[in-house]
Amino acid sequence: MAKTALVVGASGIVGSATAALLVEQGWTVYGLSRRPVEQHGVLPILADLQDAQATSAALAQIDPDAVFITTWLRQDSEAENIRVNGAMVRNLLAGLPKASRSRHVALVTGLKHYLGPFEAYGKGTLPQTPFREEQGRLDIENFYYAQEDELFAAAQRDGFTWSVHRPHTVIGKAVGNAMNMGTTLAVYASLCRDTGRPFIFPGSAAQWNGLTDMTDAGQLARHLLWATESEAAHNEDFNVVDGDVFRWQWMWGRIADWFGIEAEPFDGTVRPLEQQMANDADNWRALAEREGLIEPDLSRLASPWHTDADLGRPIEVVTDMSKSRRLGFTAYQATDDAFYALFERLLADRLIP
């Protein structure tokens, strides 16, 4: 019998990649979103996880072998992030019918587990890099911790197994996503090429010079499926990155080359994309209309604030994958190839010129 999966946030970067992999592997896949989009092989479920009663009603006929939680909602403060996102996980897991067989629930969070929430991102006393799972939580409120606590409480109550997955910045395609560095950089490079503006690294010297890593959405999807199907990975937390390391001074030039532009030499000055792209909405709309692109709304493609947060960090960020490797996850993805694959897909889908 085919296994059944519920992918929560199926229209996002991680959710869409996870749903696609599960369909490819022969799973029956339900995709839950507030605004479902058409996805090959995915059965859509419309639900707002902030509404407990509506969530329960939407899930009444679903009995999944695995649940993948890949969504969150950004709020104006960390206290609100905790309240809203904790409730979403709680409502989801309380709304699922009692399992007729064993069930696994995988939660995707991220490296803010180690770096702190947006209000204190990369500040204060942080654990040493490379980040390792045994370093535990920071002594600060964080909505990722609230999501985990809801997961742990529901697992104890309902008897399912769980896994927590902490990617670094994720590379993948999604329109209207709040955290989307790959597409943001593709749009920025396209605007630089079109207007003749210099392609300027927006971040810090620490990020330009230091080692870092990233997580391709396909790599994360493979990790989620591996943890679901591997008993040794049950009831464990994991970092998950591509498996390579790089410096932005190298990657920035690689991205520039793909777009046929020159990378501006970095002089140590932080020049946030939020400032560089502040007046680009009309530029992008004109470019989209001239080139026949399908998304003229810049705000649905680019998230400069999030890219600035990642590239502006004052510390080197490298992530340890030893725990996954020891337990049998050996997949690898070259990060420059992940960028190129995303750019090719955006080009083919007429999202960039």
Side-chain angles (χ1 to χ4, degrees):
M1 268 183 77
K3 290 185 176 181
T4 299
L6 173 65
V7 179
V8 182
S11 60
I13 293 176
V14 177
S16 59
T18 302
L21 176 63
L22 292 166
V23 169
E24 179 185 302
Q25 295 292 316
W27 288 58
T28 299
V29 180
Y30 292 90
L32 186 150
S33 299
R34 286 183 300 160
R35 293 181 291 272
V37 298
E38 185 177 347
Q39 296 169 270
H40 171 70
V42 178
L43 304 169
I45 298 176
L46 172 64
D48 183 348
L49 295 181
Q50 296 180 83
D51 186 329
Q53 186 173 358
T55 298
S56 181
L59 298 175
Q61 305 303 315
I62 309 298
D63 182 18
D65 297 275
V67 180
F68 302 90
I69 307 174
T70 72
T71 190
W72 70 288
L73 285 177
R74 188 189 183 201
Q75 306 299 310
D76 291 335
S77 69
E78 193 59 19
E80 278 298 288
N81 277 330
I82 290 168
R83 183 186 69 81
V84 170
N85 291 284
M88 287 168 60
V89 174
R90 182 169 61 253
N91 293 341
L92 168 71
L93 297 178
L96 284 168
K98 183 176 177 61
S100 63
R101 52 199 178 279
S102 62
R103 177 179 291 166
H104 184 80
V105 179
L107 170 67
V108 177
T109 60
L111 293 196
K112 285 189 289 295
H113 184 95
Y114 309 106
L115 287 162
F118 288 119
E119 292 177 4
Y121 194 52
K123 301 175 183 176
T125 302
L126 300 173
Q128 289 185 332
T129 57
F131 293 140
R132 294 183 173 88
E133 294 89 347
E134 65 265 24
Q135 289 167 324
R137 296 179 174 184
L138 301 175
D139 187 20
I140 186 171
E141 290 190 332
N142 189 321
F143 82 87
Y144 283 169
Y145 306 162
Q147 289 181 306
E148 286 185 347
D149 288 343
E150 294 292 348
L151 175 69
F152 302 154
Q156 187 171 23
R157 179 191 69 219
D158 297 333
F160 59 75
T161 60
W162 56 266
S163 55
V164 174
H165 304 255
R166 298 176 189 138
H168 199 165
T169 306
V170 177
I171 302 171
K173 181 197 167 190
V175 176
N177 190 273
M179 300 192 298
N180 196 339
M181 181 191 284
T183 303
T184 298
L185 294 181
V187 167
Y188 173 58
S190 298
L191 283 165
C192 288
R193 184 176 61 193
D194 186 64
T195 63
R197 283 160 32 192
F199 186 57
I200 299 172
F201 181 72
S204 66
Q207 289 301 302
W208 180 257
N209 296 314
L211 290 172
T212 193
D213 46 34
M214 294 184 73
T215 308
D216 177 67
Q219 173 83 338
L220 178 51
R222 291 187 289 273
H223 196 262
L224 287 163
L225 181 57
W226 164 78
T228 297
E229 296 183 330
S230 302
E231 187 174 345
H234 290 174
N235 303 329
E236 297 285 351
D237 54 353
F238 296 103
N239 299 327
V240 50
V241 288
D242 287 339
D244 61 355
V245 294
F246 63 90
R247 301 181 199 275
W248 274 107
Q249 58 183 265
W250 176 80
M251 188 67 78
W252 198 250
R254 304 281 283 182
I255 293 173
D257 288 345
W258 195 93
F259 284 92
I261 57 179
E262 289 191 13
E264 183 83 359
F266 180 63
D267 64 3
T269 304
V270 178
R271 295 183 173 89
L273 281 182
E274 207 161 21
Q275 295 176 15
Q276 292 192 54
M277 300 178 71
N279 300 313
D280 274 334
D282 289 342
N283 292 334
W284 182 258
R285 185 171 296 278
L287 176 60
E289 290 175 357
R290 188 172 71 247
E291 298 292 338
L293 306 183
I294 65 172
E295 182 51 76
D297 185 349
L298 180 64
S299 68
R300 285 183 50 76
L301 292 174
S303 51
W305 67 273
H306 184 260
T307 299
D308 287 339
D310 279 357
L311 296 184
R313 290 182 299 219
I315 60 171
E316 180 178 87
V317 176
V318 184
T319 314
D320 185 77
M321 279 280 286
S322 297
K323 184 175 182 180
S324 292
R325 303 302 189 212
R326 288 190 181 103
L327 294 177
F329 182 77
T330 59
Y332 165 85
Q333 169 67 58
T335 300
D336 52 344
D337 286 346
F339 272 122
Y340 301 156
L342 171 63
F343 300 157
E344 292 285 0
R345 187 175 176 192
L346 295 174
L347 184 65
D349 291 345
R350 296 171 61 200
L351 286 165
I352 61 172

